[in-house]
């Protein structure tokens, strides 16, 4: 289990201190991400909220991409009952090992968002 944790810098990234509230999201028992919730990427939205995209799965190497939302950037709640992107969304087989990890989100100049991730099967 590799839950998303975080550290905070108050001097433009020169030094870092662990947040006492880490981890910010743990695998949830009896959920689609009960085995792993890891490799988060957080982006701040125009309304001031934060979205964390992360690799999750009931077993390691049986992955999907999840979303958790926070108002303060520290306390995150899962969005919905399942992943927002699954292997079948990309015609990846669901049998055997399926990796969907290292999600990265950027905002484009035209206000659309682009999510990039590693995929392997």
């Amino acid at each position: 289990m590799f839950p998303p944790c975080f550290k905070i810098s108050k001097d433009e990234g020169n030094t870092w201190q662990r947040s006492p509230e880490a981890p910010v999201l743990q695998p949830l028992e009896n959920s689609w991400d009960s085995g792993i919730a890891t490799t988060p990427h957080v982006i701040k939205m125009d309304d001031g909220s934060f979205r964390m995209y992360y690799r999750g799965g009931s077993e390691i190497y049986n992955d999907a991409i999840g979303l958790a939302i926070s108002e303060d950037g520290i306390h995150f709640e899962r969005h919905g009952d399942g992943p927002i992107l699954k292997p079948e969304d990309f015609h990846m087989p669901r049998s055997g090992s399926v990796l969907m990890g290292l999600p990265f989100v950027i905002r484009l100049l035209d206000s659309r968002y682009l999510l990039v991730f590693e995929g392997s099967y």
Side-chain angles (χ1 to χ4, degrees), residues 2-80:
F2 309 99
C5 300
F6 67 95
K7 292 191 175 194
I8 297 174
S9 175
K10 296 181 181 179
D11 59 4
E12 299 182 7
N14 290 312
T15 60
W16 295 88
Q17 295 189 358
R18 183 181 172 135
S19 167
E21 303 195 42
V24 296
L25 189 75
Q26 294 193 49
L28 188 61
E29 191 174 333
N30 298 319
S31 178
W32 73 272
D33 62 356
S34 61
I36 190 169
T38 189
T39 60
H41 178 80
V42 178
I43 187 168
K44 188 173 185 179
M45 307 302 288
D46 286 340
D47 65 2
S49 66
F50 298 84
R51 291 184 176 216
M52 177 182 4
Y53 297 88
Y54 66 98
R55 171 185 167 205
S58 58
E59 302 171 8
I60 296 177
Y61 308 125
N62 186 10
D63 298 347
I65 303 292
L67 171 63
I69 299 175
S70 171
E71 292 301 318
D72 62 8
I74 298 172
H75 304 94
F76 284 86
E77 296 290 329
R78 285 169 177 77
H79 176 74

Side-chain angles (χ1 to χ4, degrees), residues 53-109:
Y53 297 88
Y54 66 98
R55 171 185 167 205
S58 58
E59 302 171 8
I60 296 177
Y61 308 125
N62 186 10
D63 298 347
I65 303 292
L67 171 63
I69 299 175
S70 171
E71 292 301 318
D72 62 8
I74 298 172
H75 304 94
F76 284 86
E77 296 290 329
R78 285 169 177 77
H79 176 74
D81 294 331
I84 60 165
L85 295 173
K86 303 175 294 259
E88 9 340 331
D89 296 333
F90 300 92
H91 306 290
M92 297 168 73
R94 209 26 154 156
S95 60
S97 295
V98 178
L99 298 173
M100 291 180 73
L102 301 174
F104 184 78
V105 179
I106 60 169
R107 183 175 179 178
L108 302 173
L109 293 176

